[in-house]
Amino acid sequence: MGAEKASHVPISNIAHRRTHPSPLVVLIATVFLFFTWPTTSTATRLTQIPQTFSNFIRQASQPLLEVFQVAPPVLTPFSNGFHSTTDPITPTTASTSEGCATQQTLMVNSFANSYGTPFVGSYSPPANCNFNRVTLNLTVTSAGRQFDRLGIVYLNSTEIWRTSTAEPTADGIIWTYVKDVSHLLALWREPQTLIFDLGNLIDDTYTAAFNATLVATFWESAHVSDAADRILSVSNATAGENNLASVFTVPPAIASNEITLPRNVRKAVVSVSATGQIDEEFWYTNTLTSLSNTFNASGVTLLPYSPFREVQLYIDSTLAGVVWPFPVIFTGGIVPGFWRPIVGIDAFDLREDEIDVTPWLGLLCDGNPHNISIAIAGIAEDGKGGGEIAVGVGSYWLVTGKVFLWLDPEGSVTTGAMPTVESPAPSVQLSSQVGKSSNGTNNTLSYSVDVSRDFSVNSTITTANGTSSPSWTQSLTYSNKNELTNTGVTQYATQDTSGTDLAPLRPYARRINYPITVNSTFTQTDTDLSITGVINRGEDIFVAGDPVFPTGLESFNVSDVDSQQFQGTQLSTSQNGSAYYLRSPALNVSSGTTSQDLTLTGVRVDGFDGFPNVQSDEELYARSVTAVNGTVTQDSETLEGQGINGFEDAPAPLAGPNVWAAPNAMKVLGRGSGDNTVGVAGPP
Ligand SMILES: *[C@@H]1O[C@H](CO)[C@@H](O)[C@H](O)[C@H]1NC(C)=O
Ligand SMILES: *[C@@H]1O[C@H](CO)[C@@H](O)[C@H](O)[C@H]1NC(C)=O
Ligand SMILES: *[C@@H]1O[C@H](CO)[C@@H](O)[C@H](O)[C@H]1NC(C)=O
Ligand SMILES: *[C@@H]1O[C@H](CO)[C@@H](O)[C@H](O)[C@H]1NC(C)=O
Ligand SMILES: *[C@@H]1O[C@H](CO)[C@@H](O)[C@H](O)[C@H]1NC(C)=O
Ligand SMILES: *[C@@H]1O[C@H](CO)[C@@H](O)[C@H](O)[C@H]1NC(C)=O
Ligand SMILES: *[C@@H]1O[C@H](CO)[C@@H](O)[C@H](O)[C@H]1NC(C)=O
Ligand SMILES: *[C@@H]1O[C@H](CO)[C@@H](O)[C@H](O)[C@H]1NC(C)=O
Ligand SMILES: *[C@@H]1O[C@H](CO)[C@@H](O)[C@H](O)[C@H]1NC(C)=O
Ligand SMILES: *[C@@H]1O[C@H](CO)[C@@H](O)[C@H](O)[C@H]1NC(C)=O
Ligand SMILES: *[C@@H]1O[C@H](CO)[C@@H](O)[C@H](O)[C@H]1NC(C)=O
Ligand SMILES: *[C@@H]1O[C@H](CO)[C@@H](O)[C@H](O)[C@H]1NC(C)=O
């Protein structure tokens, strides 16, 4: 049910009670502003962002603190030409557009008591611009005290953006994130209902609203991308038709739809968006189910289903591919002091992963409905020290999917045999050890989980262009170790996920590596709560060929791209930091140091016969930034090797105890749902 969707719950917090949504109140879009600017010269003026927004931002006595996600630049029209988002001053080497550009304000809304009442507006494609690129600018301000919240944006029942909020300060914060949504061109070309669901709740303690504007920029680029002709969704369409969030909450929901594809599909890719919440938010710290009562005697229950998760795609109940998720950490996660003003990797733009289903087109183009289903698996133990990957995890994951289709001419019919699926039993290794105190009670627990899996689908299909043999091959490895000491007061978790996906004909190749190490110590007395944490994590993604989603390469010299100078990108980012949180009657302290490095590199590869090898590469963008106690102390950025946005006069970090106004609730790693919350646990 749309009503039982997740976003009413602070995403880094445990809600103890289920809520009933307030009666439906549908907010109809109140603001529709429309801007165009002539395209005669590169210096032409784009009408600035709607005046309404400035009225919307509270007159603050101090400038709002800018929070941000470190991300590669996105090319988008600015008032003075085409620039990258990271560099509004110096033009980038990206070419300017020859075509039109126009903006639409899709939303101006204050998310206050917004649980169960998403913002609803109507969208019509701009009439005066033959656009082939679309970017979205989401700008949000917030002041007061508030949890982090998840936001999901839909066009009708199709999810277009999954984001989350930063936690505000008393004086107020602001952030802007610009997202390239050109891969959704087929949706932007139709009239749609925009549903922006960001469930927030306000009471005497959690006072802050999230004031948000969403502006779409439509423009025409000389570099034509191969966006899908049609996009179908795997979602709760009934909720969407009722202007509610159409995400599935799994469990208890089953994320499946019966979908009838057009018969002339030549290429098909399914993307999945899946986010663990509540008991599943810190899934990589969950324990083996058989060990979840280890510290019962100390009143601590550990969360089950193992620290391994797999998102599975099924077509008519046959496995068609898997996603091993990236451990997203929201801004209240582990210790909030890590995440201001630098938010966690992907926190403002949660990634979707893609599974090529072209080998299934012989089946999918038969004119009949087929069951496309997305399930979340953990590890089920066999009682003898072993286990297997099995569907079924705690509450809950928010899941949607999209089916991207590229079509042959009308009247053509794609045919082919059932694909051959090779899915050998994954290797699953489990081990654990319990240590006792001298009086015999369990005091320490360590466990490790190692998983590897190979998966492939091959077939032969016939499209308008002839007969071909598409395949989808995945090879993945995972390793996790958790060590709990002092009956779970300290938890050290280290995990590494890596793997390759390959669809050689398309072509498409991706290699991922997601290392993470978190060590946190959580001490609670009747009056005080303290948490210390150390974190070290990374996200490395190599993508080559024709991915569905923009890689960032689109923002660089168009002729470089057109001339096939690069066939892919390597995105590498890492964050490390330490943070402290104390809540006591006398003092609230939240402090922390976080450093992040990010590089985006253009790569040239040797072909797609096997997994492509990199022949040469060139750094396109790099940023290295450090923040201490809420203030950026070091920030350097280079675009194609040139320094930009120099940071010569680094302000000194705030002196003395930096008492933040919002001691936000958080959930501590892997502990049971009994006593993990600080303050009020979300809505009644
Ligand atoms: C995004 O919108 C904000 C607020 O309207 C504006 O200040 C900012 O310049 C915009 N950024 C980009 C890259 O469009
Ligand atoms: C958000 O908007 C509300 C309603 O207009 C306003 O009262 C509040 O001050 C705004 N908050 C911020 C941080 O701008
Ligand atoms: C873009 O790349 C082409 C080919 O490599 C080069 O000739 C041109 O100078 C570049 N343009 C800019 C603006 O850097
Ligand atoms: C989206 O929903 C609206 C309202 O139900 C409908 O008029 C419109 O045709 C739908 N758009 C698409 C692309 O299905
Ligand atoms: C100690 O931990 C083991 C393994 O989880 C469990 O079977 C046992 O019941 C625990 N002992 C106590 C006293 O809680
Ligand atoms: C541990 O506590 C849980 C939850 O309170 C309870 O269901 C379970 O029976 C207990 N197990 C043991 C071994 O004491
Ligand atoms: C689709 O398949 C899934 C998984 O095999 C199953 O749980 C679900 O009930 C099926 N849905 C329909 C509508 O048949
Ligand atoms: C499918 O093709 C891939 C790549 O050519 C190959 O590695 C795999 O073994 C094949 N699988 C089947 C089931 O034929
Ligand atoms: C057993 O020893 C531990 C560690 O010394 C202590 O925290 C705990 O309270 C003791 N439990 C009992 C039942 O004596
Ligand atoms: C059709 O096949 C030719 C030759 O194999 C290939 O070059 C071309 O890219 C294909 N076109 C499409 C739309 O797949
Ligand atoms: C985790 O942190 C605790 C408390 O600071 C420390 O004693 C322990 O050595 C750390 N563990 C690891 C593996 O670094
Ligand atoms: C950051 O805040 C903490 C806690 O108030 C303080 O101990 C520390 O000295 C501060 N760091 C800097 C560099 O000011």
Side-chain angles (χ1 to χ4, degrees):
M1 298 303 304
E4 189 44 44
K5 73 189 182 333
S7 38
H8 65 288
V9 180
I11 55 180
S12 296
N13 184 23
I14 288 177
H16 298 285
R17 286 155 288 180
R18 291 281 164 171
T19 65
H20 290 288
S22 40
L24 280 186
V25 180
V26 176
L27 300 180
I28 301 301
T30 47
V31 184
F32 254 87
L33 302 178
F34 192 74
F35 296 93
T36 55
W37 90 95
T39 54
T40 43
S41 89
T42 53
T44 49
R45 193 170 165 72
L46 174 63
T47 308
Q48 279 298 349
I49 302 303
Q51 293 307 310
T52 42
F53 190 63
S54 51
N55 304 334
F56 200 59
I57 301 177
R58 194 176 70 135
Q59 293 304 306
S61 52
Q62 300 190 0
L64 297 166
L65 174 70
E66 255 182 71
V67 299
F68 56 92
Q69 179 184 319
V70 175
V74 170
L75 186 66
T76 192
F78 260 78
S79 51
N80 53 347
F82 283 76
H83 294 241
S84 101
T85 46
T86 51
D87 187 21
I89 300 157
T90 323
T92 71
T93 52
S95 86
T96 53
S97 152
E98 290 84 36
C100 56
T102 182
Q103 288 192 329
Q104 259 187 50
T105 297
L106 300 176
M107 175 184 78
V108 176
N109 191 48
S110 180
F111 291 94
N113 277 307
S114 52
Y115 167 62
T117 59
F119 170 88
V120 179
S122 59
Y123 162 76
S124 300
N128 56 344
C129 180
N130 183 26
F131 60 93
N132 57 15
R133 300 277 287 270
V134 186
T135 55
L136 292 178
N137 175 338
L138 175 65
T139 297
V140 184
T141 65
S142 184
R145 185 172 164 185
Q146 196 47 266
F147 296 110
D148 51 2
R149 307 286 185 181
L150 193 73
I152 305 184
V153 191
Y154 309 83
L155 290 177
N156 285 11
S157 300
T158 308
E159 176 175 342
I160 62 163
W161 189 351
R162 189 171 293 201
T163 186
S164 70
T165 62
E167 298 193 338
T169 60
D171 289 332
I173 60 169
I174 185 165
W175 74 90
T176 287
Y177 191 89
V178 176
K179 181 175 170 73
D180 186 345
V181 287
S182 304
H183 57 289
L184 302 173
L185 216 50
L187 300 177
W188 293 112
R189 289 198 166 130
E190 303 277 337
Q192 304 274 2
T193 301
L194 177 93
I195 300 174
F196 197 128
D197 184 42
L198 195 165
N200 189 28
L201 281 149
I202 289 196
D203 60 21
D204 290 346
T205 311
Y206 298 99
T207 54
F210 293 101
N211 293 358
T213 54
L214 183 67
V215 175
T217 303
F218 304 86
W219 50 290
E220 196 179 357
S221 166
H223 173 60
V224 181
S225 72
D226 182 28
D229 297 309
R230 280 190 64 185
I231 300 168
L232 308 175
S233 79
V234 181
S235 63
N236 181 349
T238 311
E241 282 154 18
N242 288 300
N243 290 340
L244 294 171
S246 45
V247 71
F248 289 115
T249 301
V250 180
I254 289 172
S256 80
N257 281 163
E258 295 273 321
I259 295 179
T260 304
L261 265 62
R263 303 203 63 186
N264 56 333
V265 182
R266 63 180 167 85
K267 169 170 128 186
V269 178
V270 175
S271 70
V272 302
S273 186
T275 308
Q277 299 277 274
I278 317 292
D279 286 359
E280 293 284 312
E281 181 176 345
F282 301 98
W283 48 270
Y284 45 94
T285 66
N286 286 16
T287 196
L288 296 170
T289 305
S290 64
L291 299 172
S292 51
N293 293 324
T294 302
F295 301 130
N296 254 26
S298 310
V300 174
T301 306
L302 305 173
L303 294 169
Y305 302 104
S306 92
F308 173 83
R309 292 294 176 274
E310 177 176 86
V311 183
Q312 304 179 327
L313 175 71
Y314 290 89
I315 296 177
D316 293 341
S317 300
T318 304
L319 191 64
V322 299
V323 169
W324 288 11
F326 174 75
V328 174
I329 303 178
F330 300 104
T331 61
I334 305 168
V335 192
F338 286 127
W339 315 122
R340 181 186 294 157
I342 307 173
V343 305
I345 296 168
D346 295 349
F348 289 159
D349 187 11
L350 281 76
R351 270 170 212 281
E352 297 169 48
D353 296 85
E354 51 184 275
I355 293 169
D356 194 301
V357 297
T358 308
W360 298 82
L361 287 176
L363 172 72
L364 294 172
C365 293
D366 66 3
N368 297 319
H370 293 281
N371 179 347
I372 313 273
S373 160
I374 301 164
I376 313 291
I379 286 175
E381 291 160 78
D382 62 10
K384 292 176 280 184
E388 59 177 23
I389 298 176
V391 171
V393 294
S395 289
Y396 46 68
W397 283 70
L398 294 176
V399 177
T400 71
K402 282 188 279 291
V403 188
F404 291 84
L405 302 175
W406 287 259
L407 303 179
D408 272 337
E410 202 69 50
S412 176
V413 174
T414 299
T415 56
M418 273 296 288
T420 309
V421 177
E422 212 167 81
S423 182
S427 151
V428 177
Q429 311 278 334
L430 310 176
S431 77
S432 66
Q433 198 168 5
V434 177
K436 294 183 191 300
S437 304
S438 50
N439 62 16
T441 56
N442 291 340
N443 188 45
T444 65
L445 169 65
S446 68
Y447 53 94
S448 67
V449 177
D450 292 276
V451 186
S452 63
R453 145 167 255 165
D454 290 309
F455 179 82
S456 75
V457 185
N458 300 28
S459 77
T460 299
I461 62 168
T462 302
T463 64
N465 206 28
T467 297
S468 62
S469 299
S471 69
W472 172 248
T473 305
Q474 300 188 270
S475 177
L476 295 151
T477 60
Y478 166 96
S479 141
N480 177 297
K481 187 169 176 57
N482 269 269
E483 288 171 7
L484 285 80
T485 48
N486 196 7
T487 67
V489 165
T490 295
Q491 181 162 9
Y492 172 86
T494 185
Q495 174 173 295
D496 194 25
T497 306
S498 57
T500 57
D501 300 333
L502 180 65
L505 280 195
R506 190 165 143 203
Y508 170 81
R510 186 181 75 147
R511 178 189 292 116
I512 55 151
N513 184 224
Y514 307 149
I516 180 168
T517 297
V518 182
N519 188 5
S520 78
T521 297
F522 174 99
T523 325
Q524 189 163 29
T525 66
D526 287 347
T527 55
D528 292 12
L529 170 76
S530 81
I531 310 169
T532 57
V534 176
I535 193 163
N536 213 312
R537 64 196 297 231
E539 182 182 56
D540 293 329
I541 303 174
F542 164 90
V543 183
D546 275 329
V548 168
F549 297 95
T551 59
L553 208 52
E554 305 80 5
S555 296
F556 292 86
N557 189 339
V558 166
S559 56
D560 287 354
V561 177
D562 284 348
S563 67
Q564 295 291 304
Q565 194 184 340
F566 301 119
Q567 294 90 42
T569 54
Q570 171 76 47
L571 176 75
S572 297
T573 190
S574 62
Q575 287 186 318
N576 60 72
S578 58
Y580 175 64
Y581 174 83
L582 171 69
R583 192 196 55 159
S584 72
L587 203 58
N588 287 327
V589 181
S590 181
S591 64
T593 299
T594 299
S595 295
Q596 182 165 5
D597 291 313
L598 178 144
T599 56
L600 178 74
T601 305
V603 299
R604 302 176 191 92
V605 301
D606 63 357
F608 291 85
D609 290 340
F611 196 89
N613 295 302
V614 174
Q615 288 194 312
S616 64
D617 58 26
E618 220 170 278
E619 184 183 288
L620 297 173
Y621 174 75
R623 186 171 183 186
S624 169
V625 55
T626 298
V628 180
N629 290 355
T631 304
V632 172
T633 56
Q634 173 270 321
D635 192 355
S636 65
E637 224 175 336
T638 59
L639 204 52
E640 299 194 34
Q642 305 284 310
I644 53 169
N645 291 353
F647 197 85
E648 279 141 31
D649 304 312
L654 296 178
N658 179 17
V659 181
W660 289 0
N664 293 293
M666 70 203 74
K667 175 179 166 185
V668 172
L669 297 176
R671 293 189 178 81
S673 56
D675 54 344
N676 298 342
T677 350
V678 182
V680 180

